[in-house]
């Protein structure tokens, strides 16, 4: 049951972690050139190093799902915020590529439950019919982290360098930790069984492989991977290299894209309730965004306004995750909500961990445009595979 005082305050306090997660994983988009020079990395090397965030994130989701169902959202979030803050400090102090690799792994592990904690809190506090609305609110609030890593970050990097961005993230992690400690009081869920940690971990993987979640896992493989690849790494280099924009100008366009991503989740939840066609929304989103990325590449010689419009449209159409989370939540009983939501999140970030090095390899062979094209190919494959598995189900 929710704590006295309503849902909004504790859920938003927990969602501060998701704000942090979004900001820290999209930070390299506007600092890539400075980070490469400082750490001695090629574009391919930077993609591999920052891709460690997504790999660690995906690996940590199994114990995070178990922790949410055993310890509850509050205690799990407090642990993860402390780990993420440590990772941000390591990144700010990193003297070379090896330390930054470690920092990205610590950050990824710490951020692994930042979305799942408020989601799990809401899943246990509201009926399934209202969960889609709350998941949209959580994602909308959390996506403001990408606003922080847009124009504000571009200004900070120009003024104080890329390390200042990670120091700012460490400070934000501390503020979020204090907020959760002060306002979240939901007790851990009652244990109805005495399964071992290993059995709980196996159940997360079993849910991920179940027929009910299998199509969603295929959908998720390219979902966040595209957001991270476009908004978190290659969007800035495309605007600065292909279009000749300054860091601040590129930051304005990426901020507009982030604003669209911030507003879209609640709108998507509303559309899904009115339309009642979740499969159409999920597959259509992937295929439409793939087309927009190809249109972006085709308009290389057009004015930057073309790119700005494409980025905003992508931000609006790519943010359909509340629909997927609602489908995953409906597939399991409330006491298994943490496991199911974490299982879907494994697909999101395992896909990102796999696709980011692939996009880096494409960039080393054909430039930033080739990296973006690899994201479009992944979206087409994911959307098609999702439709085929849904049809079989």
């Amino acid at each position: 049951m929710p704590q006295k005082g309503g849902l909004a305050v504790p859920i938003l306090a927990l969602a501060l972690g998701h704000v942090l997660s979004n900001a820290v994983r999209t930070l390299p988009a506007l600092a890539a050139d400075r980070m490469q020079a400082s750490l001695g990395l090629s574009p391919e090397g930077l993609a591999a190093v920052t891709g460690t965030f997504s790999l660690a994130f995906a690996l940590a989701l199994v114990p995070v799902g178990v922790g949410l169902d055993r310890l509850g959202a509050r205690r799990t979030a407090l642990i993860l915020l402390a780990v993420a803050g440590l990772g941000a400090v390591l990144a700010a102090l990193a003297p070379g590529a090896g330390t930054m690799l470690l920092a990205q792994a610590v950050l990824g592990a710490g951020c692994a439950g930042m979305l799942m904690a408020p989601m799990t809190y809401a899943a246990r506090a509201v009926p399934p019919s209202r969960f889609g609305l709350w998941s949209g609110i959580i994602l909308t609030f959390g996506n403001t982290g990408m606003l922080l890593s847009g124009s504000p970050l571009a200004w900070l990097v120009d003024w104080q360098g890329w390390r200042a961005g990670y120091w700012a993230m460490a400070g934000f992690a501390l503020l979020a930790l204090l907020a959760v400690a002060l306002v979240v009081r939901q007790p851990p869920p009652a244990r109805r069984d005495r399964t071992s940690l290993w059995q709980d971990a196996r159940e997360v993987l079993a849910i991920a492989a179940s027929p009910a979640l299998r199509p969603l896992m295929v959908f998720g493989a390219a979902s966040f991977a595209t957001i991270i690849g476009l908004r978190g790494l290659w969007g800035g280099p495309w605007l600065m290299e292909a279009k000749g924009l300054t860091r601040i100008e590129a930051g304005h366009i990426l901020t507009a894209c982030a604003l669209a991503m911030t507003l879209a989740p609640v709108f998507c939840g509303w559309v899904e309730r009115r339309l009642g066609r979740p499969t159409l929304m999920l597959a259509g989103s992937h295929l439409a965004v793939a087309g927009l990325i190809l249109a972006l590449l085709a308009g290389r010689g057009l004015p930057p306004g073309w790119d700005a419009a494409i980025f905003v449209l992508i931000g609006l159409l790519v943010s359909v995750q509340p629909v997927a989370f609602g489908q995953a939540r409906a597939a399991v009983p409330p006491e298994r909500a943490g496991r199911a939501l974490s299982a879907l999140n494994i697909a999101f970030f395992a896909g990102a961990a796999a696709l980011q090095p692939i996009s880096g390899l494409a960039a080393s062979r054909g430039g930033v445009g080739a990296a973006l094209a690899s994201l479009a190919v992944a979206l087409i494959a994911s959307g098609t595979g999702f439709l085929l598995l849904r049809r079989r189900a």
Side-chain angles (χ1 to χ4, degrees):
M1 293 297 292
Q3 66 189 53
K4 186 178 179 180
L7 289 172
V9 172
I11 285 179
L12 293 181
L14 288 165
L16 285 172
H18 190 41
V19 175
L20 170 70
S21 179
N22 273 314
V24 79
R25 69 172 172 250
T26 55
L27 191 157
L30 284 170
D33 55 339
R34 299 280 183 91
M35 292 177 69
Q36 284 175 223
S38 176
L39 300 172
L41 291 168
S42 64
E44 182 180 357
L46 181 63
V49 167
T50 56
T52 306
F53 178 101
S54 298
L55 178 60
F57 194 116
L59 293 174
L61 280 168
V62 172
V64 163
V66 174
L68 286 167
D69 285 338
R70 281 177 172 257
L71 303 177
R74 181 180 187 272
R75 282 191 275 182
T76 303
L78 290 174
I79 294 169
L80 293 174
L81 284 165
V83 173
L86 174 62
V89 171
L90 283 173
L93 296 173
T99 309
M100 178 55 78
L101 187 74
L102 174 62
Q104 291 294 321
V106 175
L107 275 169
C111 290
M114 300 306 193
L115 175 60
M116 294 299 97
M119 286 282 196
T120 303
Y121 185 103
R124 294 184 181 129
V126 303
S129 61
R130 295 181 60 207
F131 179 72
L133 172 63
W134 277 103
S135 66
I137 292 171
I138 291 165
L139 283 165
T140 288
F141 184 74
N143 284 352
T144 60
M146 287 185 280
L147 297 177
L148 296 177
S149 64
S151 297
L153 177 69
W155 172 82
L156 183 61
V157 170
D158 269 348
W159 177 45
Q160 290 290 327
W162 64 268
R163 296 180 189 275
Y166 284 106
W167 282 120
M169 295 300 99
F172 192 93
L174 178 59
L175 291 176
L177 187 150
L178 292 174
V180 170
L182 289 172
V183 306
V184 180
R185 290 290 180 267
Q186 188 184 47
R191 294 292 308 281
R192 295 195 177 101
D193 52 38
R194 294 298 168 191
T195 56
S196 67
L197 288 172
W198 172 241
Q199 288 172 315
D200 284 346
R202 287 179 60 188
E203 186 175 356
V204 174
L205 299 177
I207 290 173
S210 66
L213 258 71
R214 204 173 297 150
L216 293 172
M217 299 292 285
V218 172
F219 166 83
S223 181
F224 275 5
T226 301
I227 294 175
I228 293 172
L230 186 69
R231 178 59 189 83
L233 187 57
W234 301 117
W238 168 262
L239 293 169
M240 288 186 280
E241 294 175 17
K243 295 295 184 172
L245 300 183
T246 67
R247 193 182 313 278
I248 299 296
E249 289 169 340
H252 292 335
I253 291 178
L254 293 183
T255 297
C257 176
L259 181 60
M261 289 182 184
T262 299
L263 298 175
V266 170
F267 178 72
C268 285
W270 178 84
V271 171
E272 195 275 330
R273 288 197 305 276
R274 296 294 184 274
L275 189 63
R277 301 288 297 275
T279 298
L280 176 64
M281 286 187 66
L282 293 173
S285 164
H286 271 21
L287 298 177
V289 171
L292 286 169
I293 292 174
L294 296 177
L296 183 76
L297 300 177
R300 191 182 190 106
L302 296 176
W306 169 262
D307 303 78
I310 295 291
F311 271 91
V312 169
L313 286 172
I314 288 174
L316 290 172
L317 292 174
V318 79
S319 303
V320 294
Q321 287 78 31
V323 179
F325 281 122
Q327 294 286 294
R329 164 64 185 87
V332 298
E335 63 271 15
R336 296 291 182 265
R339 294 168 171 84
L341 296 175
S342 293
L344 179 56
N345 226 16
I346 288 173
F348 286 141
F349 283 89
L355 190 54
Q356 199 147 322
I358 291 172
S359 69
L361 183 62
S364 70
R365 300 290 188 269
V368 179
L372 294 175
S374 71
L375 301 179
V377 171
L379 285 167
I380 293 169
S382 172
T384 304
F386 170 74
L387 281 175
L388 292 174
L389 286 173
R390 276 292 202 199
R391 182 171 295 178
R392 290 179 183 176

